[in-house]
C-alpha cells in the first residue's frame, strides 16, 4: 500500500510537471531542448533547463525524482547547491530552479560547479559600431569618424573610418580654391599682369587682359599707352612755314595765314621764306639812298597843291613826300623798318626761355646752345660773332629779363638783375623807372600792395603785378605779402598704389607703380582701400618659393659636416660641394614635409649638410626668444598657431633624431603639449614649434641613425613663423 501511494505521488508529480511545462511553453513557446537529462521550464517567459539525475530507473521520465517531501521541486528562492552524485539508493538531488542573475549582459547556465554567468558577446562584426552591453543588453553605437577637420568628408566603410578630402573646386576659373581652418576658401584669382596698358578682369575662361582705350576724344593730342599708362602728347601742328600761325582747334590743326600788314602805307607787305617782308615804296627820284622827309609845313603845302606837283605820266605819280629811305643793314638777324623818322633795326628774338642755353642768331636762324657746350662770351658778347651773327641781349644773352628797368648781367655763375638807378638826389621827389625811362615826380605811386611793382609812366601811376614765375610748370606761382609763393601742383590720382609726380617742364602729371616689394616670392597687387598688398606665391605641394622659383626646400647635398675630433679622414675635395645655405624672406609661404604650410614672419635660415660616420651628435647653436626678435607686420596674435619658433629637420636617406637643449642646459621634453610646444615626427622629418621660447642660445643636436659610409644628407630650417597646426597633426 505504501508503495502504491509512492507511485501515485510520483505520477501526480510527473503530471504536474508536464502541466507546468505545457503552460510555460505557452509563455515561452517550445522550451524543449531535446535533452532527457534536463528539466525544461518556462520561468518569467524565459526557458530554463535544469540538469536532472539520469539513473536507469527514471531515464524514461527524463527527470530525477526524490523521496518524501524532498521530491517537491526547489523554488527560485532555494539557495543554489552543488549537484550531488546520485547514490545507489536513488535519494533526492538538490537542483537549482533558476540561475538567472537578472543581468542582461551575462549568459546564465548551470554547470558542474553550479550556476555560470558568462559575459554576453556583443560584437556585431561591424567596424562602424562601438559594441557594449548596457541595462537593456547589447548596444551598438555608431563609431564617431569626425576627425575635426573641415577639409575632409568623414564616413565609415568596410575597413572603418574613411576621411576623404573635401572637393573645394567651385568650377570657377576666377577663384583659387583651397581648404583652410574654416573649410573651403575661394580666393579671387589675381589677374593683374602689371601692365598699365591693359584692363584686367576674369571671365568664363579665366583672366582677360583687354587693351586700355586711351582715346581722350581730343583731336589735339596723340594718344598712346606707355610704361605709366595712357599718354596724351600734344599734336605737333607746326607746318614749318613762317607764313602761318599754327594751332589746334576743335577739328584738329589750324594753319592761319600770318598778317604781315605793318600799318605803314609806305611799305609793300608780304611773307617769304623767312617770314614777313615789309619793303618801302621807292619813286622815280630815288636815285639817292635817302631823301630828307618834308617838314610839317612843307607837307601841308604839298597836300594843298598835290594836283600841281603830279606829273601827267601815271607811272611818275608819286609825290616827293612819298620818297622814303631804304632801311636794309644786310644783317639777316635783324628786322629792318622805318618808324617815320629813321631806320630801326631790331634784333631777331631768339630767346627760348631757358636760362641754361646761350641764344644767338646765325644767318637768320636762331641757335640755342647749352651753356656747358659753349664758352662764356666776352662782356659785350660779340667778340666771336660775325656780321651774320647777333646776340640776343647784352651782356649775356640768357640773362635778359625783358625788363628795361633792370640792368642784366652774368656774374660767371648766375644772372643778376639790378634795378636801374633813377635817383635824382632830390629827397622831395619819388624816383621811378618805366620802360627804361626814369621819372622823378612829387606824386607817390605806392598803392600799399606789396605784390605790385609801383611805377610812374610820366603822366600817371602804374601798378604792375610782381612776376613770380619760377619757370617750373609743376608749381602754382602766387604772391603773398610781397613774397613769391610756389605751391606744388596736386598730382594725386587717388590711387594708393602709385607714386604721383609732375614733369617740371610740361606740368604733366604722371604716376608710377609702387607696390613692388622686391620679393620675387610674393604676388604684388593693389587694393583700392588698403593699398599695396603682397600675397605669398603658392607653390605645388612639397615645394617652396625661393628667389622667385618654386622648388623643394631640401637640397641634396651641401658641404658635409666634419667632426672636430680625430681620427677622421675627410672625403676628397671633389666630393665636397659648396654649402647651400640661404635665407627665405619674411612673408614667404613654406610648404612642410607633411604638406601643411606656414608663413615666415622673419627671414628663415636654411642649412643643408651631410653627416658622415663618426660625427654624432652634430651640434648647432641658435638664438631664440620671441620678445628679443624684430617681428614683422605679419605677426598679429600670440597663440602658437599665430607665432612660434620653428626648428625643423628633414632628410632623404637614413634617419635622424632632433634634440633641443634649452639655455639652462636641460633637454626640451620630446612630448609636446599643443600649447607651448608642438613636436611632429615623420619618416623623413622631425619638427618643433615653440611658443614663448626662453631667450638665449639654444643647442640643436642632430643624431644620425644608420648613416651609410657616404654619409646622410639633411636640411635644417629655423625661424619665426605662423600657421603651426594644432589639431591636424600628421
Amino acid at each position: 500500500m505504501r508503495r502504491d501511494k509512492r507511485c501515485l505521488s510520483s505520477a501526480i508529480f510527473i503530471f504536474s510537471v508536464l502541466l507546468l511545462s505545457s503552460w510555460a511553453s505557452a509563455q515561452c513557446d517550445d522550451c524543449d531542448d531535446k535533452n532527457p537529462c534536463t528539466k525544461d521550464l518556462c520561468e518569467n517567459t524565459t526557458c530554463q533547463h535544469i540538469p536532472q539525475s539520469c539513473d536507469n530507473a527514471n531515464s524514461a521520465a527524463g527527470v530525477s525524482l526524490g523521496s518524501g517531501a524532498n521530491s517537491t521541486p526547489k523554488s527560485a528562492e532555494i539557495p543554489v547547491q552543488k549537484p550531488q552524485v546520485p547514490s545507489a539508493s536513488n535519494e533526492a538531488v538538490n537542483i537549482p530552479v533558476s540561475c538567472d542573475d537578472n543581468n542582461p549582459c551575462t549568459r546564465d547556465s548551470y554547470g558542474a560547479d553550479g550556476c555560470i554567468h558568462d559575459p554576453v558577446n556583443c560584437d556585431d562584426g561591424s567596424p562602424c559600431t562601438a559594441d557594449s552591453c548596457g541595462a537593456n543588453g547589447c548596444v551598438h553605437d555608431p563609431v564617431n569618424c569626425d576627425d575635426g577637420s573641415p577639409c575632409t568628408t568623414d564616413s565609415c566603410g568596410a575597413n572603418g573610418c574613411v576621411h576623404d578630402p573635401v572637393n573645394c573646386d567651385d568650377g570657377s576659373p576666377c577663384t583659387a580654391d583651397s581648404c583652410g581652418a574654416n573649410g573651403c576658401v575661394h580666393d579671387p584669382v589675381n589677374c593683374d599682369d602689371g601692365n598699365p596698358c591693359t584692363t584686367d578682369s576674369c571671365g568664363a575662361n579665366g583672366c582677360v587682359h583687354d587693351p586700355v582705350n586711351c582715346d581722350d576724344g581730343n583731336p589735339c593730342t596723340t594718344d598712346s599707352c606707355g610704361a605709366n599708362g595712357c599718354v596724351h602728347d600734344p599734336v605737333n601742328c607746326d607746318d614749318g612755314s613762317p607764313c602761318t600761325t599754327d594751332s589746334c582747334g576743335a577739328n584738329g590743326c589750324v594753319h592761319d595765314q600770318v598778317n604781315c600788314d605793318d600799318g605803314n602805307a609806305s611799305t609793300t607787305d608780304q611773307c617769304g621764306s623767312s617770314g614777313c617782308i615789309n619793303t618801302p615804296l621807292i619813286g622815280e627820284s630815288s636815285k639817292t639812298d635817302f631823301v630828307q622827309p618834308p617838314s610839317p609845313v612843307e607837307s601841308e603845302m604839298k597836300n594843298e597843291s598835290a594836283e600841281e606837283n603830279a606829273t601827267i605820266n601815271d607811272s611818275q605819280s608819286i609825290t616827293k613826300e612819298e620818297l622814303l629811305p631804304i632801311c636794309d643793314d644786310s644783317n639777316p638777324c635783324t628786322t629792318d623798318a622805318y618808324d617815320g623818322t629813321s631806320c630801326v633795326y631790331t634784333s631777331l628774338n631768339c630767346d627760348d626761355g631757358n636760362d641754361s642755353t646761350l641764344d644767338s642768331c646765325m644767318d637768320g636762324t636762331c641757335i640755342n646752345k647749352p651753356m656747358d657746350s659753349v664758352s662764356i662770351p666776352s662782356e659785350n658778347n660779340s667778340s666771336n660773332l660775325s656780321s651774320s651773327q647777333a646776340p640776343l641781349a647784352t651782356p649775356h644773352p640768357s640773362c635778359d629779363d625783358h625788363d628795361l628797368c633792370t640792368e642784366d648781367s652774368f656774374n660767371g655763375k648766375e644772372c643778376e638783375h639790378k634795378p636801374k638807378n633813377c635817383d635824382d638826389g632830390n629827397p622831395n621827389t619819388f624816383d621811378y623807372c618805366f620802360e627804361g625811362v626814369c621819372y622823378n615826380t612829387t606824386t607817390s605811386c605806392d598803392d600799399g600792395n606789396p605784390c605790385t611793382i609801383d611805377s610812374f609812366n610820366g603822366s600817371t601811376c602804374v601798378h604792375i603785378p610782381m612776376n613770380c614765375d619760377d619757370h617750373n610748370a609743376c608749381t602754382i606761382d602766387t604772391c603773398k605779402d610781397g613774397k613769391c609763393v610756389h605751391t606744388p601742383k596736386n598730382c594725386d590720382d587717388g590711387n594708393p598704389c602709385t607714386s604721383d609726380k609732375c614733369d617740371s617742364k610740361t606740368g604733366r602729371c604722371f604716376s608710377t607703380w609702387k607696390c613692388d616689394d622686391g620679393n620675387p616670392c610674393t604676388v604684388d597687387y593693389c587694393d583700392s582701400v588698403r593699398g599695396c598688398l603682397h600675397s605669398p606665391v603658392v607653390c605645388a605641394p612639397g615645394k617652396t618659393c625661393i628667389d622667385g622659383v618654386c622648388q623643394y626646400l631640401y637640397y641634396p647635398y651641401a658641404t658635409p659636416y666634419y667632426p672636430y675630433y680625430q681620427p677622421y679622414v675627410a672625403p676628397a675635395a671633389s666630393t665636397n660641394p659648396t654649402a647651400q645655405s640661404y635665407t627665405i624672406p619674411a612673408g614667404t609661404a613654406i610648404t612642410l614635409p607633411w604638406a601643411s604650410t606656414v608663413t615666415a614672419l622673419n627671414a628663415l635660415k636654411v642649412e643643408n649638410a651631410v653627416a658622415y660616420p663618426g660625427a654624432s651628435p652634430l651640434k648647432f647653436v641658435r638664438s631664440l626668444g620671441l620678445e628679443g626678435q624684430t617681428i614683422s607686420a605679419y605677426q598679429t596674435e600670440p597663440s602658437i598657431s599665430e607665432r612660434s619658433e620653428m626648428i625643423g629637420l628633414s632628410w632623404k636617406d637614413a634617419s635622424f633624431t632632433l634634440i633641443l637643449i634649452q639655455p639652462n642646459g636641460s633637454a626640451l621634453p620630446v612630448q609636446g603639449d599643443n600649447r607651448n610646444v608642438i613636436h611632429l615626427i615623420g619618416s623623413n622629418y622631425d619638427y618643433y614649434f615653440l611658443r614663448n621660447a626662453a631667450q638665449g642660445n639654444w643647442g640643436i643636436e642632430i643624431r644620425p641613425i644608420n648613416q651609410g659610409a657616404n654619409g646622410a644628407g639633411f636640411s635644417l630650417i629655423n625661424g619665426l613663423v605662423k600657421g603651426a597646426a594644432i589639431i591636424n597633426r600628421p
Side-chain angles (χ1 to χ4, degrees):
M1 177 64 69
R2 189 174 184 178
R3 183 175 183 179
D4 292 338
K5 288 182 179 181
R6 184 180 299 171
C7 291
L8 180 59
S9 297
S10 299
I12 293 173
F13 176 76
I14 294 172
F15 178 77
S16 299
V17 169
L18 294 175
L19 183 60
L20 183 60
S21 300
S22 64
W23 178 83
S25 299
Q27 298 298 317
C28 304
D29 292 331
D30 186 7
C31 288
D32 186 3
D33 62 358
K34 309 302 181 183
N35 186 350
C37 293
T38 60
K39 181 173 69 176
D40 305 322
L41 299 176
C42 179
E43 183 176 321
N44 295 329
T45 70
T46 303
C47 290
Q48 300 290 336
H49 308 287
I50 304 173
Q52 302 295 310
S53 174
C54 292
D55 59 345
N56 294 333
N58 297 309
S59 60
V63 297
S64 175
L65 302 176
S67 61
N70 293 332
S71 63
T72 304
K74 299 287 185 177
S75 66
E77 289 75 16
I78 300 175
V80 176
Q81 300 179 9
K82 292 185 179 181
Q84 301 176 3
V85 179
S87 63
S89 62
N90 288 328
E91 292 185 359
V93 179
N94 291 324
I95 301 171
V97 174
S98 172
C99 287
D100 185 5
D101 61 358
N102 293 319
N103 184 354
C105 295
T106 60
R107 186 180 298 279
D108 306 321
S109 62
Y110 188 85
D113 295 325
C115 289
I116 301 172
H117 308 287
D118 294 318
V120 171
N121 180 12
C122 289
D123 185 4
D124 60 0
S126 171
C128 295
T129 59
D131 305 319
S132 63
C133 190
N136 297 316
C138 288
V139 179
H140 308 287
D141 293 318
V143 170
N144 181 13
C145 289
D146 185 2
D147 60 359
S149 171
C151 295
T152 58
T153 299
D154 307 317
S155 61
C156 191
N159 297 317
C161 287
V162 179
H163 308 286
D164 294 317
V166 169
N167 180 12
C168 289
D169 185 2
D170 60 1
S172 171
C174 296
T175 58
D177 307 318
S178 62
C179 192
N182 297 317
C184 287
V185 179
H186 308 287
D187 294 317
V189 169
N190 180 16
C191 288
D192 186 3
D193 59 1
N195 185 354
C197 295
T198 59
T199 299
D200 306 317
S201 62
C202 192
N205 297 317
C207 288
V208 179
H209 308 287
D210 295 317
V212 169
N213 180 13
C214 289
D215 186 2
D216 60 359
N218 185 354
C220 295
T221 59
T222 300
D223 307 318
S224 62
C225 192
N228 297 315
C230 287
V231 179
H232 308 287
D233 293 318
V235 170
N236 182 12
C237 289
D238 185 3
D239 60 1
S241 172
C243 296
T244 58
T245 300
D246 306 317
S247 62
C248 190
N251 298 317
C253 288
V254 178
H255 308 286
D256 295 320
Q257 293 295 319
V258 170
N259 181 12
C260 289
D261 185 1
D262 60 358
N264 189 347
S266 63
T267 59
T268 300
D269 308 318
Q270 60 182 353
C271 188
S273 59
S274 299
C276 288
I277 301 174
N278 309 103
T279 306
L281 295 173
I282 300 175
E284 179 182 48
S285 60
S286 60
K287 292 182 180 180
T288 61
D289 289 338
F290 182 80
V291 177
Q292 179 67 35
S295 65
V297 176
E298 292 175 332
S299 297
E300 183 178 354
M301 294 174 62
K302 289 180 178 179
N303 287 336
E304 293 175 354
S305 59
E307 293 281 337
E308 298 176 0
N309 294 328
T311 62
I312 298 175
N313 191 338
D314 291 339
S315 63
Q316 298 177 348
S317 61
I318 301 177
T319 59
K320 289 184 179 180
E321 71 267 24
E322 294 177 3
L323 297 178
L324 299 174
I326 299 175
C327 295
D328 183 6
D329 62 356
S330 300
N331 186 350
C333 288
T334 60
T335 300
D336 308 328
Y338 181 71
D339 63 0
T341 303
S342 61
C343 289
V344 178
Y345 306 104
T346 305
S347 298
L348 189 63
N349 184 7
C350 289
D351 185 4
D352 61 358
N354 187 346
D355 290 342
S356 62
T357 59
L358 179 62
D359 309 319
S360 61
C361 176
M362 178 177 288
D363 298 328
T365 303
C366 287
I367 299 174
N368 310 101
K369 292 184 179 181
M371 284 187 179
D372 57 1
S373 64
V374 297
S375 60
I376 302 300
S378 60
E379 184 175 352
N380 61 12
N381 201 33
S382 61
S383 60
N384 295 326
L385 301 179
S386 65
S387 60
S388 62
Q389 294 176 300
L392 174 64
T394 302
H396 192 277
S398 62
C399 289
D400 185 4
D401 61 359
H402 304 289
D403 184 353
L404 298 178
C405 288
T406 60
E407 296 177 353
D408 308 321
S409 62
F410 186 74
N411 62 13
K413 294 182 179 180
E414 59 185 2
C415 291
E416 293 181 347
H417 310 284
K418 296 180 180 180
K420 186 175 182 178
N421 185 8
C422 289
D423 186 3
D424 62 354
N426 186 351
N428 297 320
T429 61
F430 297 94
D431 309 316
Y432 298 105
C433 178
F434 183 77
E435 295 184 351
V437 179
C438 287
Y439 295 96
N440 310 103
T441 176
T442 57
T443 302
S444 173
C445 290
D446 185 1
D447 61 357
N449 185 352
C451 288
T452 59
I453 298 175
D454 306 322
S455 185
F456 186 78
N457 64 5
S459 59
T460 187
C461 288
V462 178
H463 309 286
I464 303 173
M466 183 182 293
N467 181 14
C468 287
D469 186 4
D470 61 356
H471 301 291
N472 184 349
C474 291
T475 58
I476 300 172
D477 306 319
T478 58
C479 178
K480 183 177 182 180
D481 298 330
K483 296 181 179 180
C484 288
V485 178
H486 309 287
T487 305
K489 184 177 180 180
N490 183 13
C491 284
D492 186 3
D493 61 0
N495 186 344
C497 299
T498 57
S499 295
D500 307 316
K501 299 179 181 179
C502 179
D503 188 326
S504 61
K505 291 185 178 180
T506 65
R508 183 175 65 87
C509 291
F510 63 94
S511 303
T512 57
W513 178 260
K514 69 175 183 181
C515 285
D516 185 1
D517 62 357
N519 184 352
C521 288
T522 59
V523 177
D524 307 319
Y525 60 99
C526 178
D527 184 276
S528 60
V529 176
R530 294 181 291 173
C532 293
L533 298 177
H534 314 284
S535 296
V537 170
V538 178
C539 295
K543 291 186 177 182
T544 296
C545 180
I546 300 172
D547 295 331
V549 179
C550 287
Q551 52 189 287
Y552 289 102
L553 186 64
Y554 179 83
Y555 286 96
Y557 295 112
T559 300
Y561 177 88
Y562 297 117
Y564 55 86
Y565 50 83
Q566 298 295 328
Y568 182 78
V569 178
S574 60
T575 64
N576 298 339
T578 302
Q580 296 188 25
S581 298
Y582 53 92
T583 58
I584 298 175
T588 303
I590 311 298
T591 303
L592 301 175
W594 56 93
S596 294
T597 59
V598 294
T599 301
L601 294 178
N602 281 344
L604 304 186
K605 185 175 183 180
V606 180
E607 290 195 44
N608 300 286
V610 176
Y612 282 91
S616 178
L618 286 66
K619 296 183 179 180
F620 296 85
V621 176
R622 294 290 183 268
S623 294
L624 305 182
L626 298 179
E627 286 72 19
Q629 300 285 341
T630 301
I631 300 170
S632 71
Y634 292 95
Q635 174 186 328
T636 56
E637 298 294 337
S639 68
I640 195 168
S641 63
E642 289 299 322
R643 188 183 68 185
S644 60
E645 291 278 4
M646 179 178 71
I647 302 98
L649 186 70
S650 58
W651 58 85
K652 292 184 64 177
D653 307 315
S655 61
F656 294 82
T657 58
L658 180 63
I659 298 177
L660 301 184
I661 307 299
Q662 302 179 82
N664 62 9
S666 63
L668 184 72
V670 297
Q671 181 61 42
D673 59 7
N674 253 10
R675 183 175 182 274
N676 290 313
V677 179
I678 295 178
H679 188 196
L680 306 177
I681 302 175
S683 61
N684 65 334
Y685 60 85
D686 193 339
Y687 271 69
Y688 280 90
F689 295 90
L690 309 179
R691 175 177 178 264
N692 296 328
Q695 294 186 29
N697 292 329
W698 285 62
I700 301 175
E701 292 188 0
I702 300 174
R703 301 175 182 269
I705 302 174
N706 299 325
Q707 74 272 30
N710 294 326
F714 65 88
S715 182
L716 176 65
I717 182 173
N718 77 280
L720 197 63
V721 300
K722 72 173 182 177
I726 296 178
I727 298 175
N728 298 326
R729 299 199 300 173

